[in-house]
Amino acid sequence: METTSTSTRTNSNNTPFSLISRGWKEVRDSADADLQLMRARAKSFKNLANSFDREIENFFNSASIASFSVSSPLKSSTSPTEVDFVKKLRPKFSEIRRVYSAPEISKKVLEKWGPRAKLGIDLSAIKNAIVAGEEEGEERRGVVGLDRRRRLGFREFWGEGKEGRGEQFGEWKPIRVLKRRLREFEKKSEFGEIFGGFKNSEFVEKLKSSLKAIYKEPQESKEVPPLDVPELLAYLVRQSEPFLDQLGVRKDVCDKIVESLCSSRKNQLLLPSLSSGESTLLDENANDELDLRIASVLQSTGHCYDGGFWTDLSKHPPSDRKRHVAIVTTASLPWMTGTAVNPLFRAAYLAKSEKQNVTLLVPWLGKSDQELVYPNNLTFTSPEEQENYIRNWLEERIGFKADFKISFYPGKFAKERRSIIPAGDTSQFIPSKDADIAILEEPEHLNWYHHGKRWTTKFNHVVGVVHTNYLEYIKREKNGALQAFFVKHINNLVTRAYCHKVLRLSAATQDLPKSVICNVHGVNPKFLKIGEKVAAESELGQQAFSKGAYFLGKMVWAKGYKELIDLLAKHKNDLDGFNLDVFGNGEDANEVQTTAKRLDLNLNFLKGRDHADDSLHGYKVFINPSLSDVLCTATAEALAMGKFVVCADHPSNEYFRSFPNCLTYKTSEDFVARVKEALANEPHPLTPEQIYNLSWEAATQRFMQYSELDRVLDPEKDDVKLSKTNGWSITKAVSTPNMSEMVDGGLAFAHYCLTGNELLRLCTGAIPGTRDYDKQHCKDLHLLPPQVENPIYGW
């Protein structure tokens, strides 16, 4: 029985009546929803009407207030007309609100304000009329009546002259009443006098500002003419300048070709906005104008260049607010060489500003190499121990705690080249999250045998700093001319492929692509304090120097010892009684001392020591005849201590010529004269400006400017150059492909393939086994074996 009743209920639910009931319920719910929507729309319309009423009230209030705010000379002529106009208009609007608030008006209003209905008001006309009236009012001071153009502007504003506009859409009665009253207001008085009186009134100013806020002139689309054949050829030649330079075509020849191609269209190269008489912010340089011309064409087509074949599209700017700067160098303390000391100071002073995080990446040598490189048999058992030594040495000299990170990469010492060669991919020791800005100290040295990720691919901005004139060293070796030829082109290749910007410390270095000359090195603050002390003693009349002349430098022939011995041997009689103390250690120490003894020169050889050592403070003259230096650090330190410096008239000493204590010579006879002059006189005290120019603060400022880091690190400055024309901006750098970048990418890929072959590496002088780091490096630096880090299928 229970089963039967359940079946009966189920059948009853499927009867036609139940289906009709459910359908009716759905219809009712739908109708309720429609009614709620209609109520909401009616409420919205009511709010709109109330808002219109408030605006009208504000209009009347503004008019009333304005009548009392005009100046006294115009008050008698303008106030009655204005008050009469407002008084006549106010009752009409009261009547309109009363009539149109009735329920029966809703249907008519909704019919009039359908989806296609709109008011026939041309706000641009009243704007043009007011602007024109304001301009002529300033000239005529409101004496002359409104001309035909301004009256026509008001008629256009009310829809007159627009064929069929009012008939097509119809007009709401309040609008017609408002128009009619304003026409009466216009006819009753001379509009010129009224406009002149109202010019500075609050009422007119509010009306104009409201209309300008409501009406925005639509931006006219400007069609950009397409590029013609001469423009395309000019851009092709310009982008091919680095490639043509390798073929022997000079840059000035390329510039003349570009100029001749563009001369026929010199006036058309400017952007189209100039034709309308508007001003344009353009570079005076013709190359920039050509860039902007091509960028405007590309932007008009909607094209955006996202990168080329060699571009890493996964590279993004850092997500955090602080930028990351990684300084990679080829030497480390306690080796007292320029590439160990100067990058350390650079890291400290860049980190001092606290605007960016700084990491210093230095080479780690095995114990056997440490014994060959580091002085006084000093060795370290762990990178942490060497890091502590570096930090202690630095803090003793700069006087503040430098907050930067020190990391190590595997390296090996090449005895023949007397330099450290990286082992493996150096770039992998900077995490990808910190790969933002890279500073490569000696970029050519770091990348001779670099087999890894391209620096400019991993980092957003790469700066190379050239410390050493390698060509000068190589020419002194056997078959030096041939070796220098190949090294010159390899240096060109690696700096082009791996750097965005290259800084050369002086003109004594090789002329590399993308390079500028600037001294971006400073002097240890300890030397500047010694110089200040010497200046203070001189002012008090005390004798600051009690000793004669000295020379300090690593004892290898290329560091100026050959030139020194030649000069002293040639003028031994002219410098009779002249004694020179020489401080230094090095691989050629025995040979240098033997040669000096054989020639019977008055040279006193002493062990090498820090230039800031107390035993060196009393010397008055520092002699440096080296021609292989790029920018001698010891020369800068001697000048900072207030000493005389006698050095060769050479590009490496160009920066020091502005200091009065720097005495340069061109011939060997000049050398003798300069030495005698220095020994017979007292050095000039350094001025505050000269002290600042030698400091690391000034050097860091120059580095930021010439490396373009000030632009890269400043978030308010975009690395993309913009030129605003006619209200829209053209992106110059990212919108156009760069053939030079494509060539650089091709060179980097070719270099990667060549350095991946062990036979080719050995033929070019690489240390065996430096393509990857060895097991000892894995143990010291806690690295995974290279077979795990870079498996064979990942080549």
Side-chain angles (χ1 to χ4, degrees):
M1 292 291 295
E2 187 173 353
T3 304
T4 305
S5 60
T6 303
S7 177
T8 304
R9 284 195 302 270
T10 303
N11 293 334
S12 63
N13 290 335
N14 295 328
T15 59
F17 295 101
S18 62
L19 295 174
I20 294 173
S21 176
R22 285 200 301 271
W24 175 251
K25 184 178 180 181
E26 293 176 359
V27 172
R28 186 178 57 187
D29 293 341
S30 177
D32 290 341
D34 292 341
L35 289 174
Q36 290 177 4
L37 182 60
M38 293 172 64
R39 292 192 188 98
R41 290 180 177 175
K43 186 177 180 181
S44 175
F45 180 78
K46 183 178 179 181
N47 293 336
L48 182 63
N50 293 335
S51 176
F52 179 76
D53 290 343
R54 286 194 299 271
E55 293 296 331
I56 294 299
E57 289 295 334
N58 292 337
F59 176 77
F60 291 141
N61 294 335
S62 298
S64 301
I65 294 173
S67 63
F68 295 97
S69 63
V70 294
S71 57
S72 57
L74 298 171
K75 184 175 180 180
S76 59
S77 62
T78 61
S79 296
T81 308
E82 179 182 352
V83 173
D84 181 62
F85 163 70
V86 173
K87 285 182 178 180
K88 289 185 178 181
L89 196 60
R90 187 190 296 271
K92 289 294 182 180
F93 270 101
S94 300
E95 181 182 355
I96 291 169
R97 283 201 297 269
R98 179 179 59 79
V99 173
Y100 280 87
S101 61
E104 59 271 13
I105 199 62
S106 301
K107 182 177 180 181
K108 295 181 180 180
V109 171
L110 290 174
E111 290 177 354
K112 293 289 185 180
W113 289 76
R116 293 177 54 85
K118 62 180 180 180
L119 291 175
I121 301 177
D122 186 1
L123 293 179
S124 62
I126 192 170
K127 178 210 171 191
N128 296 334
I130 290 179
V131 171
E134 185 176 6
E135 292 176 353
E136 295 190 12
E138 291 179 357
E139 298 177 359
R140 300 192 238 179
R141 301 294 180 185
V143 178
V144 183
L146 185 67
D147 61 1
R148 182 177 180 275
R149 178 184 173 187
R150 260 178 281 168
R151 288 197 299 271
L152 180 60
F154 264 97
R155 292 190 183 97
E156 289 180 352
F157 164 65
W158 298 127
E160 297 176 13
K162 306 287 184 180
E163 295 181 3
R165 175 171 291 191
E167 292 76 13
Q168 180 181 358
F169 301 111
E171 291 182 344
W172 196 23
K173 188 174 180 181
I175 301 300
R176 290 200 303 270
V177 174
L178 179 62
K179 286 164 59 178
R180 186 173 66 254
R181 291 300 181 186
L182 287 177
R183 283 197 208 94
E184 294 176 0
F185 174 62
E186 182 180 359
K187 291 177 182 178
K188 280 189 175 181
S189 62
E190 285 289 328
F191 190 80
E193 295 178 3
I194 296 173
F195 193 87
F198 274 32
K199 179 178 179 182
N200 296 319
S201 69
E202 184 181 357
F203 168 67
V204 175
E205 292 298 329
K206 284 186 176 181
L207 180 60
K208 289 194 295 183
S209 62
S210 299
L211 289 172
K212 290 178 180 179
I214 295 173
Y215 174 76
K216 183 179 288 187
E217 185 176 353
Q219 182 178 349
E220 297 181 3
S221 61
K222 303 286 185 181
E223 290 188 4
V224 180
L227 297 173
D228 57 11
V229 175
E231 287 176 324
L232 291 173
L233 291 176
Y235 193 73
L236 179 62
V237 172
R238 250 214 37 224
Q239 292 296 327
S240 303
E241 283 180 2
F243 177 71
L244 295 174
D245 181 60
Q246 297 293 326
L247 299 179
V249 181
R250 299 192 309 273
K251 186 178 185 300
D252 55 345
V253 177
C254 296
D255 292 340
K256 289 181 181 178
I257 295 174
V258 173
E259 184 179 356
S260 63
L261 288 171
C262 298
S263 60
S264 60
R265 289 202 52 185
K266 188 173 182 180
N267 296 330
Q268 287 80 4
L269 279 174
L270 297 178
L271 297 179
S273 60
L274 290 177
S275 60
S276 61
E278 298 179 2
S279 63
T280 304
L281 299 176
L282 286 177
D283 243 330
E284 294 181 0
N285 194 322
N287 288 335
D288 289 339
E289 294 177 0
L290 181 59
D291 275 339
L292 292 172
R293 166 76 176 123
I294 294 177
S296 64
V297 174
L298 292 175
Q299 189 173 31
S300 67
T301 61
H303 171 77
C304 182
Y305 178 66
D306 295 325
F309 182 74
W310 312 109
T311 306
D312 182 14
L313 298 180
S314 63
K315 182 171 62 178
H316 299 286
S319 57
D320 57 353
R321 292 183 179 179
K322 267 197 173 185
R323 306 298 295 267
H324 300 266
V325 178
I327 302 175
V328 188
T329 186
T330 56
S332 176
L333 294 179
W335 189 10
M336 297 300 296
T337 183
T339 53
V341 175
N342 290 308
L344 181 60
F345 281 111
R346 195 183 329 279
Y349 281 89
L350 281 176
K352 186 179 180 181
S353 65
E354 298 183 353
K355 294 181 180 180
Q356 56 274 334
N357 297 322
V358 179
T359 300
L360 178 64
L361 190 62
V362 298
W364 168 260
L365 300 177
K367 188 174 182 180
S368 59
D369 285 340
Q370 292 182 31
E371 294 173 351
L372 295 173
V373 177
Y374 299 151
N376 304 323
N377 296 322
L378 185 60
T379 58
F380 305 97
T381 58
S382 66
E384 292 77 16
E385 185 181 352
Q386 186 173 359
E387 179 180 350
N388 291 333
Y389 176 89
I390 295 172
R391 291 190 183 278
N392 293 334
W393 184 93
L394 178 66
E395 291 177 7
E396 289 176 1
R397 286 155 178 79
I398 62 176
F400 62 89
K401 187 175 180 61
D403 184 16
F404 65 93
K405 180 181 178 182
I406 297 179
S407 298
F408 293 84
Y409 68 86
K412 289 188 177 183
F413 181 66
K415 296 180 183 179
E416 297 79 10
R417 299 194 177 186
R418 295 166 182 169
S419 59
I420 298 174
I421 303 298
D425 180 11
T426 311
S427 66
Q428 76 180 74
F429 297 94
I430 300 295
S432 297
K433 63 183 180 65
D434 297 336
D436 183 15
I437 299 167
I439 300 173
L440 305 183
E441 310 282 351
E442 293 195 316
E444 67 275 55
H445 183 162
L446 283 169
N447 293 297
W448 279 334
Y449 305 107
H450 176 70
H451 182 70
K453 197 165 189 179
R454 186 184 175 192
W455 294 96
T456 52
T457 299
K458 184 171 183 177
F459 291 83
N460 296 312
H461 189 65
V462 182
V463 180
V465 182
V466 179
H467 292 248
T468 309
N469 187 359
Y470 287 105
L471 300 183
E472 184 65 31
Y473 288 108
I474 293 172
K475 288 177 182 178
R476 299 169 184 256
E477 300 177 358
K478 186 179 179 180
N479 300 322
L482 181 62
Q483 292 185 57
F485 173 80
F486 287 108
V487 171
K488 176 182 177 181
H489 289 281
I490 292 173
N491 290 346
N492 281 334
L493 186 151
V494 295
T495 51
R496 271 198 64 180
Y498 296 120
C499 296
H500 292 119
K501 196 78 176 178
V502 178
L503 301 181
R504 299 161 54 202
L505 299 179
S506 72
T509 58
Q510 177 183 342
D511 188 7
L512 296 168
K514 309 176 183 178
S515 66
V516 294
I517 297 174
C518 180
N519 174 21
V520 293
H521 286 176
V523 174
N524 185 336
K526 195 172 183 178
F527 296 105
L528 296 174
K529 291 180 181 178
I530 296 172
E532 293 173 355
K533 180 181 176 181
V534 169
E537 292 176 353
S538 300
E539 290 180 359
L540 296 175
Q542 300 177 2
Q543 184 178 1
F545 303 106
S546 58
K547 301 179 183 180
Y550 74 106
F551 175 61
L552 178 143
K554 186 178 180 181
M555 201 168 291
V556 294
W557 285 113
K559 283 292 186 179
Y561 285 90
K562 184 180 183 300
E563 291 83 358
L564 178 64
I565 289 178
D566 290 343
L567 288 170
L568 294 178
K570 184 176 181 180
H571 297 279
K572 186 186 252 193
N573 297 329
D574 297 332
L575 294 171
D576 187 25
F578 172 71
N579 294 312
L580 182 68
D581 293 337
V582 179
F583 298 87
N585 302 318
E587 295 84 353
D588 298 334
N590 292 333
E591 191 175 348
V592 170
Q593 294 176 21
T594 302
T595 304
K597 192 173 185 180
R598 177 171 53 84
L599 295 174
D600 193 22
L601 301 178
N602 293 328
L603 296 178
N604 182 25
F605 291 96
L606 302 169
K607 287 186 177 181
R609 61 196 65 182
D610 193 336
H611 206 170
D613 192 272
D614 294 341
S615 61
L616 300 177
H617 293 179
Y619 287 95
K620 183 170 68 171
V621 182
F622 174 71
I623 294 179
N624 181 19
S626 175
L627 300 178
S628 62
D629 287 327
V630 171
L631 188 80
C632 184
T633 304
T635 299
E637 293 169 349
L639 288 173
M641 289 189 287
K643 304 177 186 295
F644 274 124
V645 172
V646 178
C647 58
D649 186 2
H650 189 260
S652 61
N653 299 316
E654 180 69 29
Y655 180 77
F656 304 124
R657 289 179 185 172
S658 61
F659 294 87
N661 292 334
C662 180
L663 307 177
T664 61
Y665 63 89
K666 293 183 179 181
T667 63
S668 59
E669 290 76 14
D670 288 342
F671 171 76
V672 175
R674 293 300 188 184
V675 170
K676 291 181 177 181
E677 177 185 350
L679 292 173
N681 297 286
E682 290 298 321
H684 300 276
L686 292 176
T687 64
E689 182 182 0
Q690 292 170 349
I691 293 175
Y692 175 75
N693 290 336
L694 289 171
S695 68
W696 266 104
E697 286 83 1
T700 303
Q701 184 178 2
R702 294 193 297 267
F703 178 81
M704 296 290 289
Q705 177 183 355
Y706 282 86
S707 66
E708 301 180 356
L709 276 189
D710 54 350
R711 176 182 58 80
V712 174
L713 292 173
D714 192 345
E716 296 181 358
K717 293 181 181 179
D718 193 2
D719 61 337
V720 178
K721 186 176 183 180
L722 296 180
S723 173
K724 294 199 172 181
T725 56
N726 201 22
W728 54 289
S729 60
I730 296 176
T731 304
K732 175 181 174 182
V734 299
S735 62
T736 58
N738 195 326
M739 183 173 293
S740 179
E741 293 178 2
M742 298 174 64
V743 173
D744 294 348
L747 292 175
F749 181 74
H751 182 259
Y752 178 84
C753 295
L754 294 174
T755 55
N757 188 292
E758 185 66 19
L759 180 61
L760 291 176
R761 292 173 66 93
L762 295 177
C763 291
T764 54
I767 301 175
T770 53
R771 174 181 163 179
D772 295 309
Y773 45 83
D774 56 22
K775 293 182 179 180
Q776 187 61 41
H777 287 133
C778 294
K779 182 180 178 181
D780 295 341
L781 299 175
H782 309 291
L783 302 174
L784 293 173
Q787 295 82 3
V788 177
E789 191 75 29
N790 300 303
I792 188 65
Y793 55 81
W795 191 93

